[in-house]
C-alpha cells in the first residue's frame, strides 16, 4: 500500500494499514526493524495483529519516505518534510506499507521489502 499525504505537512493515518477491528483483529505487538543491503539501510515499523476468531496472524510493515530519505520515525519525517518545504524540492512525503498474512520469517522478508522500496515502488495509492 502506498499512501501519499494530502499535503506537504506529512500527516498520515497509519490506522489505514490496520485490519478492521470489527472483524476480531487485535494488535499484539510492534517493533522497529532495520534491513541493510549493499551498505544501504532501511528502517521499518513492524506491527503484528491476531484474529482470535480465525486464529490468523497479520504482519504490517511500514516506512515513511520524503524524496530519497526513508525513516521509521514520525519526528524525523516531520524534520525531513520541513527541510523539503524550505528547499522547495517538491518531494512529497509518503507512507509505504506492506501487509503479509500468516506466519513468516521477518528477517528473510525485510531485504525483499527494502529492494522494492529502493527501486522506487509505485504501488496503488490509497
Amino acid at each position: 500500500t502506498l499512501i501519499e499525504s494530502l499535503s506537504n505537512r506529512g500527516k498520515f493515518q497509519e490506522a489505514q494499514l490496520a485490519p478492521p477491528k470489527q472483524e476480531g483483529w487485535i494488535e499484539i505487538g510492534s517493533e522497529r526493524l532495520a534491513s541493510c543491503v549493499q551498505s544501504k539501510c532501511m528502517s521499518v515499523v513492524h506491527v503484528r495483529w491476531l484474529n482470535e476468531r480465525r486464529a490468523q496472524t497479520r504482519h504490517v510493515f511500514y516506512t515513511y519516505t520524503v524524496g530519497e530519505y526513508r525513516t521509521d520515525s514520525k519526528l524525523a519525517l516531520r524534520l525531513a518534510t520541513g527541510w523539503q518545504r524550505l528547499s522547495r524540492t517538491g518531494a512529497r512525503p509518503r507512507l509505504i506499507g506492506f501487509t503479509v498474512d500468516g506466519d513468516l520469517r521477518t528477517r528473510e522478508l525485510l531485504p525483499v521489502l527494502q529492494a522494492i522500496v529502493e527501486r522506487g515502488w509505485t504501488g496503488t495509492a490509497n
Side-chain angles (χ1 to χ4, degrees):
T1 303
L2 172 64
I3 301 172
E4 295 203 52
S5 67
L6 298 176
S7 71
N8 285 336
R9 298 198 183 276
K11 294 190 179 187
F12 296 106
Q13 296 297 322
E14 290 81 4
Q16 292 174 327
L17 298 171
K21 288 184 181 179
Q22 67 269 22
E23 292 181 10
W25 291 98
I26 57 169
E27 183 178 333
I28 58 172
S30 67
E31 61 186 334
R32 296 189 185 297
L33 301 172
S35 172
C36 295
V37 176
Q38 297 176 358
S39 75
K40 287 188 177 183
C41 295
M42 180 181 81
S43 299
V44 297
V45 176
H46 172 212
V47 183
R48 292 178 310 283
W49 296 86
L50 175 67
N51 187 318
E52 294 179 313
R53 295 181 197 164
R54 299 183 191 145
Q56 289 179 304
T57 57
R58 177 169 289 174
H59 302 265
V60 175
F61 300 88
Y62 65 89
T63 190
Y64 305 102
T65 69
V66 180
E68 295 297 316
Y69 181 71
R70 289 156 182 47
T71 184
D72 63 350
S73 165
K74 285 184 180 183
L75 177 59
L77 172 71
R78 287 187 200 127
L79 292 170
T81 301
W83 177 252
Q84 294 293 333
R85 277 199 321 259
L86 287 173
S87 61
R88 299 179 186 204
T89 63
R92 294 182 56 107
R94 302 187 305 170
L95 170 70
I96 300 176
F98 301 90
T99 302
V100 181
D101 287 335
D103 295 328
L104 58 93
R105 294 185 178 151
T106 305
R107 296 288 175 196
E108 292 175 10
L109 180 64
L110 285 177
V112 174
L113 299 180
Q114 181 180 357
I116 293 169
V117 172
E118 290 296 328
R119 288 188 185 112
W121 187 65
T122 56
T124 306
N126 284 348

